[in-house]
Amino acid sequence: MSHNTLSLTPLSTSDLAQILFSSGLQASDDPSAEQVRTAIDARLCACGGDRSICTAVVAQEAGDHPETYTTRMRWALTTVSAAYAAAA
């Protein structure tokens, strides 16, 4: 049995947005839905499937860069919603 990709089914839009937020993907990259899903999968796999690692990155960024946090999180939420709607 292969474990190359993790199931994202039980993850909420908020969970997925936090994972995207903690990835290297940027709004300026103008990523496609496939790129977004791939970045989320890769980031979650890099964290061993532990979402709390991504959550910690989000919290750190919110504290270190509050002036950009809201804009990036809004982008992550909107982007995840669009990427997963396109996959449905």
Side-chain angles (χ1 to χ4, degrees):
M1 176 155 62
S2 174
H3 293 288
N4 291 339
T5 54
L6 299 171
S7 172
L8 299 180
T9 305
L11 300 179
S12 69
T13 299
S14 178
D15 293 333
L16 293 168
Q18 288 186 36
I19 297 166
L20 178 61
F21 184 104
S22 69
S23 78
L25 206 58
Q26 299 293 317
S28 61
D29 295 332
D30 194 23
S32 68
E34 181 62 28
Q35 288 172 311
V36 170
R37 293 188 299 267
T38 299
I40 289 171
D41 188 49
R43 179 67 181 140
L44 192 55
C45 286
C47 295
D50 186 352
R51 290 187 328 230
S52 68
I53 294 171
C54 297
T55 302
V57 170
V58 171
Q60 181 74 41
E61 285 298 310
D64 290 350
H65 305 286
E67 70 283 357
T68 58
Y69 167 79
T70 302
T71 301
R72 180 157 173 82
M73 184 52 77
R74 187 175 300 121
W75 167 79
L77 286 163
T78 302
T79 301
V80 160
S81 293
Y84 285 88

